Amino acid sequence: MNHIKTGVLWLAVLGIFFVGPVWATDDFEALSKSAQNIKSISADFIQEKHLKILAKPIVSEGRFYFKAPYSIRWEYLSPVKTLTLMNKRGAMVYILSEKKWVIDKTKSDTRGIVMDEINNWFTGHFQENPAFTPVYKPGVPPSVILTPKEDMKNFISRIVLKLSKTTGMVEQVEIMEGQGNRSKITFKNEKLNVDLPDSLFEKP
Amino acid sequence: MNSFACRLFNVAFLVLALTACATIPPYKPLIPESGVACPGIFPPKAFRVVQQIDMKSALIGKGVFIGAAKVEPQKNALHAVLMSAEGMVLFEAEYENGDIKIISAFPPLNNPAFAKGLMADVSFVLLKPAGGPVEHGVDGQGLSACRWAAAEADAVFETALMPDGAVRMRLYGRDRRVAKESLAWPPFDRGMPARISLKAFGPSNYTIELMLIEMEFVD
């Protein structure tokens, strides 16, 4: 009789472990699919850069536009104006010089990698990048924790993406770096599936 | 035609180089004058500062960065962070009495020569030279100037008040040539200028503009 009780208890315990991930995976897949239904996004963002040496964060503000499958406009409005455009031809970084946008050739190559990653997040493809191990955490809000594998570990300890429970859209990104430094980007005034002209992603 | 263009370029380059040399008068002792006050260019106590950094060099073209630093003049120390304009930390290091400790650096910024040069620039524009001035008076251009013994062996640090209210800072190397020159432009927020332009002379010619974003004293 005791053996049966013990067996039932173990089954219950194992059940919790098994049922948990299955439910979480279903939820994760549903959210990923929801995100894949997003065809365009227009949003403002606030970025807080926390450095160990500063008492308060450096706050940047900007605008973000996304159009599936592969177009992004990521624009910082303050305190330093910069602009990254990504379209089917690749990524291009612009800086303001004497009130005119000029191409920053030094950054355009590497920025393509970052923009690819952002594109993955906003299209619900959280498992696309082999450099990170994604773990889904259900909750309010649900989140995806991306832990870097070997190469990135020295610079990023983890990335936390907080998602909208209804649309699967990334609502907040937190990037934990070493030395107690971290960045938090919060999106607001989001508009989904609005009509965005292609020129927005091609010219400053 | 190509050969002509090349010669023309060489001549132009020589003229530019000579003009550049000509604009910087040779190092001479200051003419002593009573009542000369040294410009209060540096904040008097420990502070934190965030600046936009525009860098221009023949090697990399133009780049925009954000710099943050915690400066402790009493300890002759500072902790500096160089970030991309988007906030990614590219380089972080500490400086104290000439010693540099790199905390993190993306390649190729982890090169010790780069780290040394960068921290020398940051300390040149943000860190008050230790001790009092060793010389003060009027320079060859009639500007009120003060000089300190710089941290580097045999180097001299100089400040001079310009007619338009800007403060010129110069670092003379042991050969008494100008190694670096910066102009700090008003308005000054508790000693911190709104804009600093730095020009480094020598083989790695470059200019850096620093625009103040925010500054606060450390409690």
Side-chain angles (χ1 to χ4, degrees):
Chain A
M1 189 64 181
N2 277 342
H3 288 298
I4 295 168
K5 275 186 183 171
T6 312
V8 169
L9 186 65
W10 271 111
L11 278 174
V13 171
L14 286 172
I16 290 166
F17 279 104
F18 277 115
V19 170
V22 168
W23 177 84
T25 306
D26 284 350
D27 202 24
F28 183 36
E29 282 176 7
L31 274 176
S32 296
K33 279 186 181 157
S34 277
Q36 285 164 33
N37 288 330
I38 298 172
K39 299 298 171 208
S40 70
I41 303 168
S42 155
D44 299 325
F45 67 83
I46 292 181
Q47 178 179 303
E48 291 173 21
K49 181 75 198 183
H50 296 260
L51 294 177
K52 204 177 168 185
I53 59 166
L54 297 181
K56 53 185 184 183
I58 303 168
V59 179
S60 305
E61 294 191 26
R63 294 279 303 155
F64 167 72
Y65 299 94
F66 163 78
K67 189 174 183 179
Y70 208 68
S71 298
I72 291 174
R73 182 184 177 102
W74 186 276
E75 183 171 6
Y76 286 89
L77 302 171
S78 71
V80 180
K81 286 185 196 294
T82 67
L83 170 66
T84 302
L85 297 179
M86 186 173 84
N87 51 46
K88 56 192 171 205
R89 290 190 300 278
M92 201 62 85
V93 182
Y94 296 86
I95 52 175
L96 260 191
S97 178
E98 289 152 14
K99 296 183 181 172
K100 283 182 185 168
W101 288 111
V102 293
I103 295 171
D104 182 347
K105 288 176 188 164
T106 59
K107 288 185 194 147
S108 292
D109 291 344
T110 49
R111 193 60 51 79
I113 300 165
V114 177
M115 287 292 123
D116 280 345
E117 189 58 27
I118 292 171
N119 197 72
N120 285 339
W121 300 344
F122 282 92
T123 50
H125 297 101
F126 304 105
Q127 289 153 310
E128 291 283 309
N129 191 336
F132 291 93
T133 306
V135 172
Y136 175 68
K137 275 187 81 175
V140 182
S143 56
V144 175
I145 298 169
L146 300 168
T147 308
K149 295 178 184 169
E150 288 312 309
D151 292 348
M152 298 280 285
K153 266 185 181 171
N154 293 335
F155 304 103
I156 294 174
S157 58
R158 67 189 169 124
I159 298 173
V160 180
L161 308 174
K162 291 187 178 163
L163 311 177
S164 157
K165 202 165 174 58
T166 49
T167 63
M169 184 193 146
V170 177
E171 292 188 325
Q172 192 177 80
V173 180
E174 198 160 7
I175 303 169
M176 260 62 82
E177 300 170 50
Q179 313 303 327
N181 302 332
R182 66 191 167 91
S183 302
K184 188 165 84 176
I185 303 168
T186 307
F187 296 92
K188 57 177 191 171
N189 304 327
E190 304 100 325
K191 289 176 191 154
L192 302 185
N193 298 326
V194 286
D195 192 26
L196 299 175
D198 288 341
S199 59
L200 204 56
F201 307 96
E202 284 163 5
K203 286 182 279 186
Chain B
M1 183 66 187
N2 276 344
S3 150
F4 174 73
C6 187
R7 263 185 289 147
L8 195 64
F9 174 78
N10 285 338
V11 171
F13 180 77
L14 192 65
V15 169
L16 278 174
L18 288 173
T19 312
C21 293
T23 57
I24 299 168
Y27 181 91
K28 280 183 186 167
L30 299 175
I31 303 156
E33 194 174 280
S34 58
V36 169
C38 301
I41 177 69
F42 298 102
K45 55 181 185 173
F47 63 98
R48 299 182 180 97
V49 64
V50 180
Q51 292 162 308
Q52 175 179 337
I53 302 171
D54 289 6
M55 187 171 181
K56 208 186 284 181
S57 93
L59 224 60
I60 63 156
K62 187 169 180 179
V64 179
F65 305 89
I66 294 177
K70 183 181 175 187
V71 185
E72 296 176 276
Q74 287 83 358
K75 291 185 188 172
N76 192 30
L78 60 85
H79 185 142
V81 179
L82 179 73
M83 290 165 278
S84 68
E86 297 76 24
M88 185 80 191
V89 173
L90 305 171
F91 177 87
E92 182 168 1
E94 288 174 326
Y95 168 95
E96 188 163 357
N97 289 319
D99 294 329
I100 295 165
K101 183 180 157 200
I102 299 177
I103 295 167
S104 69
F106 261 103
L109 309 187
N110 54 354
N111 179 319
F114 171 84
K116 195 177 169 191
L118 180 71
M119 294 306 274
D121 284 349
V122 177
S123 25
F124 174 64
V125 293
L126 295 181
L127 205 50
K128 187 179 179 185
V134 292
E135 199 182 350
H136 47 85
V138 176
D139 73 1
Q141 292 172 277
L143 303 173
S144 299
C146 297
R147 286 174 178 164
W148 285 259
E152 297 88 346
D154 293 331
V156 172
F157 178 87
E158 179 191 87
T159 60
L161 187 60
M162 306 294 281
D164 60 2
V167 176
R168 190 190 69 200
M169 294 183 273
R170 276 182 179 168
L171 184 72
Y172 294 94
R174 65 171 63 184
D175 58 0
R176 293 297 176 262
R177 285 172 189 265
V178 179
K180 286 174 193 178
E181 180 177 285
S182 77
L183 281 171
W185 304 89
F188 294 89
D189 177 7
R190 292 160 288 170
M192 178 57 59
R195 183 165 72 92
I196 302 172
S197 62
L198 165 70
K199 187 166 174 55
F201 300 95
S204 53
N205 240 336
Y206 56 85
T207 58
I208 297 174
E209 293 264 329
L210 299 113
M211 271 76 72
L212 182 64
I213 294 174
E214 55 191 50
M215 177 265 189
E216 64 173 11
F217 287 118
V218 175
D219 293 328

